[in-house]
Amino acid sequence: MGIIERKLREKERRREEIVDSAEKLFFEKGFDSCTMDELAIVAELSKATLYVYFKSKTDILLEINKRAINKLKEYFENAVINQKNGFEKVRALGKSYYEFTIEYPDYHKFITLFENYSSLENASKTFKNLIKLDKIMINSIKEGMQDGSIKDIYNPEALSKSLWAMLTGLLQMINTKAEIFEKVFNLKKEDFYKHFYTIINQGIKKEN
């Protein structure tokens, strides 16, 4: 291994260690409550060295967001394996998204949190990662239209993003207000999922 390659590997290792430290700090205290000074202490670096790797907290947030999206992508890829048709893949993707929020609640928060902090430039960077998820959904929808399990009256790209928006909103609502809905309206989170899938079944499933 040459000197240049070794330095690059060392730099990447240090960068990953900083993100690891940031995850721990942000998850424990919340993004708004943390400062770059605190992160430098946790990462055992000088503040000047920290800024060599990341210009701002938002840059670190986007890096964590990238990790979160890549993990969700793994869930999506596993979800569509061995499904019998496109419609079942779409349903499986919805279920896997929910499972992801249970297993990685902090990552789920970061997938949505970046919207509050990212500029148009930063949003475009993260959009490239979101496209990876969108393609899996779009391909499942297209497959369903071809195999006859999904109605072919929709634009696959628009339907994919609509389903993503619906499920994301539903999961956010459940994760933040589930206890209130159960106490005030006697609605359990299972009721929301049941109705969501009923809407999906009646809205996009093609009956043979």
Side-chain angles (χ1 to χ4, degrees):
M1 182 187 300
I3 296 177
I4 295 178
E5 184 179 2
R6 183 161 52 247
K7 287 184 177 180
L8 289 174
R9 286 195 176 187
E10 173 62 24
K11 185 176 181 180
E12 184 60 29
R13 183 188 64 79
R14 179 62 62 84
R15 181 181 175 87
E16 290 298 312
E17 289 177 350
I18 292 173
V19 178
D20 289 341
S21 297
E23 279 191 5
K24 182 178 179 180
L25 183 63
F26 292 168
F27 291 170
E28 288 180 353
K29 297 190 61 175
F31 180 74
D32 288 317
S33 302
C34 300
T35 66
M36 292 291 273
D37 292 287
E38 290 177 301
L39 179 54
I41 293 173
V42 172
E44 299 181 346
L45 298 171
S46 69
K47 191 174 179 180
T49 301
L50 182 60
Y51 276 108
V52 169
Y53 293 90
F54 295 99
K55 296 179 180 179
S56 66
K57 280 203 307 180
T58 300
D59 284 345
I60 301 175
L61 170 63
L62 291 172
E63 193 63 30
I64 297 175
N65 185 73
K66 180 180 177 181
R67 285 187 177 187
I69 290 176
N70 285 338
K71 177 58 67 175
L72 179 55
K73 181 173 176 284
E74 291 179 15
Y75 271 66
F76 275 18
E77 289 173 338
N78 291 328
V80 298
I81 296 175
N82 297 326
Q83 300 299 328
K84 64 181 182 180
N85 57 44
F87 177 75
E88 293 301 327
K89 287 185 178 182
V90 171
R91 283 181 57 90
L93 287 172
K95 182 180 179 181
S96 70
Y97 193 4
Y98 168 67
E99 292 172 347
F100 169 79
T101 67
I102 299 300
E103 295 294 326
Y104 296 93
D106 291 314
Y107 270 174
H108 177 236
K109 292 177 183 177
F110 267 78
I111 286 179
T112 55
L113 180 63
F114 88 96
E115 293 284 0
N116 298 323
Y117 296 94
S118 59
S119 63
L120 180 59
E121 178 184 359
N122 287 330
S124 66
K125 295 177 182 177
T126 309
F127 183 69
K128 294 179 181 179
N129 295 317
L130 288 172
I131 287 177
K132 300 174 184 177
L133 302 177
D134 194 39
K135 283 184 177 180
I136 298 174
M137 177 67 81
I138 290 174
N139 288 338
S140 297
I141 292 171
K142 288 181 177 179
E143 181 178 333
M145 291 180 176
Q146 292 172 356
D147 64 35
S149 61
I150 294 178
K151 298 175 183 177
D152 59 2
I153 60 175
Y154 300 104
N155 177 304
E157 286 76 13
L159 178 59
S160 172
K161 292 163 183 61
S162 296
L163 293 175
W164 173 267
M166 291 171 61
L167 188 55
T168 297
L170 178 67
L171 291 171
Q172 287 179 343
M173 183 175 68
I174 290 174
N175 289 336
T176 58
K177 299 182 175 65
E179 186 176 350
I180 295 175
F181 283 125
E182 186 167 357
K183 288 183 178 179
V184 178
F185 302 106
N186 195 30
L187 288 172
K188 298 181 180 180
K189 62 182 180 181
E190 291 79 8
D191 297 323
F192 289 102
Y193 288 118
K194 179 181 178 181
H195 283 76
F196 173 77
Y197 283 115
T198 297
I199 292 172
I200 298 304
N201 287 345
Q202 295 182 355
I204 73 172
K205 185 177 182 180
K206 185 174 182 179
E207 300 294 345
N208 295 321

